[in-house]
Amino acid sequence: MPEPWGTQVTNWIVFDYGEVLSLRTAAVPKLAAAMGVSPETFEPVYWSVRDPYDRGCPDLEYWTSIGDQVGAKVDDALSAELTALDVAGWGQLAPGSLDLLQSLSDAGASLALLSNAPSAFGVWVREQEWAKLFKHTLFSGDVKVAKPDAEIFQLLLDKLGAAPEECLFFDDRQVNIDGARAVGIRAHLWDGAEAARAALA
């Protein structure tokens, strides 16, 4: 049933995952060590080639692209190890996130998750108990398109069966907020669980 979250009727509350519901990855030192390089060498490359990974490139291709730049050879076994470390590194929920999701769900809100993340991470999320609080999840790696592109927001709306104005979206990146607003979705820049509660009051 629609609920009057804020000043407009909202049928869906949609959350980003990384650095919204979760803490920033803690895996960089372990990933760098697995590749045999320093975190200072590894981390800039990890981020610089991340977008194609979020858009569906295979795990091995992503890790090989990093290895090529840092001077490390990546085979199937190392790729699998790196993928597991990477997924685990993004696995810690931020303080207050679970309480926020649970309270919204208990109040009857329909929740969805929209994340720029590789398919391997989507598999892990769907196995978590807290993922049951979401009626729908959508990961960029599965659909090979990512925020802030209009296409992924349209895929979300199609999945939810919702009009843009019926959705309220939280993300930590202004470019993604702008992308959501460009297709008519109401969007708030994430500033923590308590600020989200205030926005939903």
Side-chain angles (χ1 to χ4, degrees):
M1 177 177 296
E3 294 290 343
W5 305 107
T7 59
Q8 293 177 274
V9 172
T10 299
N11 287 337
W12 290 94
I13 303 173
V14 184
F15 292 92
D16 177 35
Y17 179 80
E19 299 184 71
V20 172
L21 298 180
S22 82
L23 297 176
R24 188 177 179 87
T25 180
V28 166
K30 291 181 179 179
L31 291 166
M35 278 201 166
V37 299
S38 70
E40 293 75 18
T41 297
F42 174 85
E43 186 167 15
V45 185
Y46 172 86
W47 292 113
S48 70
V49 297
R50 190 74 179 187
D51 186 62
Y53 193 32
D54 286 343
R55 292 175 182 268
C57 90
D59 298 336
L60 179 60
E61 183 178 326
Y62 172 62
W63 298 115
T64 298
S65 69
I66 295 176
D68 288 346
Q69 293 191 49
V70 302
K73 181 174 175 55
V74 179
D75 58 15
D76 288 338
L78 181 55
S79 174
E81 178 186 353
L82 292 165
T83 299
L85 288 170
D86 192 44
V87 168
W90 285 103
Q92 187 173 355
L93 292 179
S97 291
L98 184 56
D99 286 346
L100 173 63
L101 296 175
Q102 188 67 64
S103 63
L104 290 172
S105 180
D106 290 346
S110 294
L111 306 180
L113 182 66
L114 175 63
S115 178
N116 282 0
S119 294
F121 187 74
V123 170
W124 179 85
V125 166
R126 294 183 183 107
E127 294 173 346
Q128 306 311 302
E129 186 67 24
W130 53 261
K132 296 177 183 178
L133 296 171
F134 294 99
K135 292 187 176 181
H136 292 288
T137 59
L138 183 62
F139 294 91
S140 60
D142 293 334
V143 295
K144 302 189 185 327
V145 63
K147 298 174 291 182
D149 297 356
E151 185 178 353
I152 197 167
F153 291 110
Q154 190 57 57
L155 288 171
L156 172 72
L157 295 172
D158 292 346
K159 192 177 184 74
L160 303 184
E165 63 273 13
E166 296 172 335
C167 301
L168 183 61
F169 174 57
F170 290 96
D171 197 287
D172 63 313
R173 298 184 63 197
Q174 186 63 49
V175 66
N176 295 336
I177 295 298
D178 294 342
R181 289 174 177 169
V183 301
I185 295 172
R186 289 178 289 125
H188 284 268
L189 189 65
W190 182 257
D191 191 29
E194 290 309 309
R197 287 183 189 275
L200 292 164

